[in-house]
Amino acid sequence: MARMGQRIEMRFMLLFSRQGKLRLQKWYLATSDKERKKMVRELMQVVLARKPKMCSFLEWRDLKVVYKRYASLYFCCAIEGQDNELITLELIHRYVELLDKYFGSVCELDIIFNFEKAYFILDEFLMGGDVQDTSKKSVLKAIEQADLLQEEDESPRSVLEEMGLA
Amino acid sequence: MLVPSLKVQDLIEEIRGAKTQAQEREVIQKECAHIRASFRDGDPLHRHRQLAKLLYVHMLGYPAHFGQMECLKLIASPRFTDKRVGYLGAMLLLDERQDAHLLITNSIKNDLSQGTQAVQGLALCTLSTMGSAEMCRDLATEVEKLLLQPSPYVRKKAVLTAVHMIRKVPELSTVFLPPCAQLLHERHHGILLGTITLIMELCERSPAALKHFRKVVPQLVQILRTLLTTGYSTEHSISGVSDPFLQVQILRLLRILGRNHEESSETMNDLLAQVATNTDTSRNAGNAVLFETVLTILDIRSAAGLRVLAVNILGRFLLNSDKNIRYVALTSLLRLVQSDHSAVQRHRPTVVECLQEPDTSLSRRALELSLALVNSSNVRAMTQELQGFLQSCPTDLRADCASGILLAAERYAPTKRWHIDTILRVLTTAGAHVRDDAVANLTQLIGGAQELHAYSVRRLYCALAEDISQQPLVQVAAWCIGEYGDLLLEGSCEEIEPLQVEEEEVLALLERVLQSHMSLPATRGYALTALMKLSTRLRGDNNRIRQVVSIYGSCLDVELQQRAVEYDTLFRKYDHMRAAILEKMPLVERGGPQVDEEAKESKEARLLEAAPVPTEPQASKLLDLLDLLDGPSEDAQHPRPLDPSPGGALVHLLDLPCAPPPAAPIPNLKVFEREGLQLSLSFVRPPETPALLLITVTATNTSGGDVTHFICQAAVPKSFQLQLQAPSGDTVPAQGGLPMTQLLRILNPNKAPLRLKLRLTYTHFGQSVQEIFEVNNLPVETWQ
């Protein structure tokens, strides 16, 4: 069991629709745009080919992929050397719960039209691929506060300012 | 500047409204032009919105590199919104492969030291996502300071940033190791989690750090114990399990620390037993913790009882209705099958059931594990299961399954008959997927089991009669029928039901194989040879066989054609030797080529005893001659290379009673000299055969360099017949080493004047040499 005890190193996380449209991509390892596109395309194909009753784990290239489908979106994590795929499933589920709490019954459209928010939430939950906070409450509170800061920034602006006339 | 720029969401809406790819591209290109213009001289207040739009189109796959500088500007802005989007952009568009990335180092430094908590958070997050080694070195001190910051929000992020820095720059371990002791006392779950991750990273990179942190094993045990006993806290629990993320991480660190360390392993023994028995396994969270516990137990020096407990948990996992859990169980058991073989054996029935999984990820693992579990006591039952699986398994698993069964059969076969049956069944079920050596192995196996010859040939005959498409099966069957055809016709065999087979049926079957388009060339070769062998095994006349053999004499396949011609010649000219040649094969010993050579040679020796055996029936195939005196092309006959057999065991066909030629009265002739290489001819005219002239070409080398790749070719006028025997070698060693000799046989029935042309090619002193010359001054005694 030589590889046991190796660190989780999450290479990337992807969100994509059943039609193969990318909705979020978070890369934790420097990769060129071209290489990323190739990997995304390939992995999407592999995952979308899986039947509904199959298990959530598959081997792809030299990585292990943990994926789960929520409504019309696939959440996909590529991990290296990690032996506990079950906890990665929990990780994915936690992220979905955060999105759900934030958007109120989240659906794909929320992620599409508020993609920056999806990133912000992810970045409050994971850093470098590792979990930074295991309290849902704490993560959501941080996002809330950041949103407030943004609002303070943007008010008050006059109508004219908004129109670019002042 | 009168047209306000699109809001992000409006752009997204517009893009989604596009009906075609071309339309989408148009919308985006138009907008990107706006964005570019805005970056140049637009309102800085809107910059974040422009970048956000750009980030969206980037996700769709469009280029966005012109936004990189804007990220820098936004990060440098005092406004939080700008920073938030700017840092996001940096994480998406910049990475260490671009030079621009270093430019944000300063901004990050400023934000880390002077920013609000939220801003510090953004900076840390960005650093841990895309920070290059250089950036990490520059900013390590800033991050170190933040580890002591009062706000847990910042501390938890600083710890994980330290983790990233260690990964990028392992030397920074010296900076981040000392604070760990303090951090381990944190109550905040996030900080604790990050610290444990940091310690793991440190331990994996340095044996000294590993030793150092063994001290904290008791502390870790305590932390975990507290987690388990403080009961239900809604904030960190999942499905009634207290902070499974933290539990898993602690267990993982305990594994690293306990591995190969008796003392540490002992300290954590009780705790592991506690977690293993008390964790709620009704949901995935609990199973995740349980699984991690099992992995740890199995990797450290745990008590034997605990190990068995762990394997049993995996066995239980195998029965779980959740596929994912079955998957991790199979994977783990596979890793254990060597070290804890008997423990895993207990779960063999469940593993075998998993072969039926429709999900190939699982059935593949079940197959691997099943094969690893085969031993001498369960081989019959297991093979039965695996054969069943082979019949219905998905195509991508067939090859592995087939070779797995064959391997297991080889190692654990209880009887030879069972072994033959097993291979036969595999060949019938999955013949197309077996490895190349399966045929050789089976023929060897059958050949060696004399008592089973009759049985084997019958079974193979029946299998072949049913299906001639599975090539390995056909090949083995053809071989067997050829070898043991006589036993096939005898009609009785105690092992199986009596089978009445007519000679004509057997021949017909082999002919079918020969003619079938499904048969590979190699297979047809087997069939043809089998037919030939049957000519001595069967009692009827051989007309049918002779017919087939002669038909294939003009087959397009060269290999087949050659065989057919040889066999035909065997019928026509060497019928008296046919029986000896087609005798039953002796058993070929398996093993290295050395052994094969011996077997071959002993076989040849036996054949020689039987009769002066021709090994190459080419009696009438006289070598073609090219008139060297006409035409420019002077291709002489290249001698067929024969095996250089010591002691002349191989008797060449054309050798008439061949003693070395007696000392001839004809004088020798020196015909060639170049740089120390000399060629001379000696002549013998055996008195019994006046038309025959034997010439021995001798090559000697007095130079300082070896002559290598030496080839001598000869040509004579049309009315002569020339044959070159194989030379003694192709190297003429330097300094008068052993000369090379070659025998030429020339038949001159018309007593025509002899003319001889020689062509030499060789390498000498690193140069390739070619010499063509006619031999002058041939003594008249050579032909008169």
Side-chain angles (χ1 to χ4, degrees), chain A residues 115-116, chain B residues 5-6 8 11 31 35-36 38-39 44 46-59 64-75 81-93:
Chain A
F115 72 97
E116 318 101 289
Chain B
S5 54
L6 272 181
V8 184
L11 173 64
E31 185 59 33
I35 295 176
R36 268 196 160 99
S38 164
F39 282 163
H46 286 204
R47 191 176 282 136
H48 68 91
R49 180 193 285 174
Q50 308 295 32
L51 183 64
K53 285 188 281 184
L54 190 59
L55 292 178
Y56 183 77
V57 307
H58 176 248
M59 186 154 60
H65 46 272
F66 55 90
Q68 283 170 8
M69 282 306 160
E70 304 310 307
C71 297
L72 267 56
K73 292 187 196 149
L74 283 168
I75 291 171
T81 308
D82 286 348
K83 283 189 194 289
R84 215 182 185 194
V85 181
Y87 274 120
L88 178 62
M91 285 190 276
L92 291 175
L93 300 181

Side-chain angles (χ1 to χ4, degrees), chain B residues 748-760:
Chain B
N748 182 7
N750 303 335
K751 285 202 189 273
L754 175 66
R755 291 174 70 173
L756 181 67
K757 203 158 189 177
L758 291 178
R759 175 169 178 261
L760 310 174

Side-chain angles (χ1 to χ4, degrees), chain A residues 1-9 21-33 35-37 50-51 53-59 64 82-94 97 102 108-109 111-117 119-121 123-139 142-147 149-151 153-154 157 161-166, chain B residues 1-2 4 7-9 12-13 16 24 43 45-46 48-49 52 55-56 58-59 61-62 79-82 84-85 88 91-92 95-97 118 124-125 128-129 153 156-157 160-161 163 167 188-191 193 197 200-201 204-205 235-238 243-246 248-249 252 255-256 259 284-285 287-289 291-292 295-296 298-299 317 323-325 327-328 331-332 335-336 358-362 365:
Chain A
M1 288 204 158
R3 286 180 63 227
M4 299 187 75
Q6 254 187 23
R7 300 262 10 276
I8 309 173
E9 270 213 58
K21 289 242 155 194
L22 195 61
R23 298 302 179 202
L24 184 144
Q25 52 174 339
K26 186 78 186 181
W27 292 79
Y28 293 109
L29 187 76
T31 332
S32 71
D33 249 2
E35 186 62 33
R36 286 183 194 190
K37 281 197 187 142
R50 301 275 287 182
K51 306 202 192 64
K53 290 282 170 63
M54 294 176 118
C55 71
S56 293
F57 315 126
L58 57 97
E59 279 104 46
K64 202 169 285 190
Q82 146 79 298
D83 290 325
N84 196 335
E85 299 90 327
L86 300 178
I87 201 72
T88 310
L89 269 180
E90 286 300 323
L91 186 151
I92 293 178
H93 193 72
R94 174 54 64 91
E97 284 181 323
Y102 181 82
E108 193 185 340
L109 281 177
I111 313 263
I112 295 171
F113 281 97
N114 301 283
F115 72 97
E116 318 101 289
K117 293 284 161 65
Y119 275 106
F120 296 151
I121 295 171
D123 287 340
E124 280 301 329
F125 175 46
L126 301 179
M127 248 176 70
D130 295 307
V131 175
Q132 26 170 319
D133 204 319
T134 54
S135 159
K136 244 190 298 192
K137 202 169 80 178
S138 172
V139 173
I143 302 280
E144 224 175 288
Q145 287 181 335
D147 284 348
L149 285 174
Q150 259 196 272
E151 276 173 35
D153 255 358
E154 292 173 13
R157 284 165 72 82
E161 264 186 349
E162 191 57 48
M163 283 169 57
L165 292 176
Chain B
M1 264 297 299
L2 291 173
K7 286 217 181 86
V8 184
Q9 299 194 333
I12 297 177
E13 186 114 30
R16 286 171 63 77
E24 177 187 285
D43 185 353
L45 285 175
H46 286 204
H48 68 91
R49 180 193 285 174
L55 292 178
Y56 183 77
H58 176 248
M59 186 154 60
Y62 293 86
R79 294 174 67 219
F80 182 72
T81 308
D82 286 348
R84 215 182 185 194
V85 181
L88 178 62
M91 285 190 276
L92 291 175
D95 66 47
E96 58 189 46
R97 303 146 76 91
L124 286 168
C125 182
S128 81
T129 304
Y153 177 79
K156 79 183 181 196
K157 290 181 191 269
L160 283 178
T161 309
V163 171
R167 288 182 188 151
H188 187 278
H189 284 225
I191 301 178
L193 189 56
T197 310
M200 288 203 295
E201 206 63 44
E204 288 207 343
R205 278 158 216 284
E235 194 177 347
H236 298 282
S237 299
I238 302 181
D243 205 335
F245 295 110
L246 183 55
V248 163
Q249 209 71 336
R252 196 174 280 132
R255 180 152 81 238
I256 294 176
R259 196 184 281 146
N284 185 61
N287 284 317
V289 172
F291 183 51
E292 195 69 42
L295 295 180
T296 298
L298 293 168
D299 210 26
F317 272 3
K323 270 198 195 44
N324 295 330
I325 302 209
Y327 177 93
V328 302
T331 316
S332 309
R335 274 196 235 113
L336 287 178
D359 182 348
T360 21
S361 315
L362 273 84
R365 292 204 145 51

Side-chain angles (χ1 to χ4, degrees), chain B residues 36 59 411 415 613 668:
Chain B
R36 268 196 160 99
M59 186 154 60
R411 286 168 74 184
T415 64
V613 175
N668 291 359

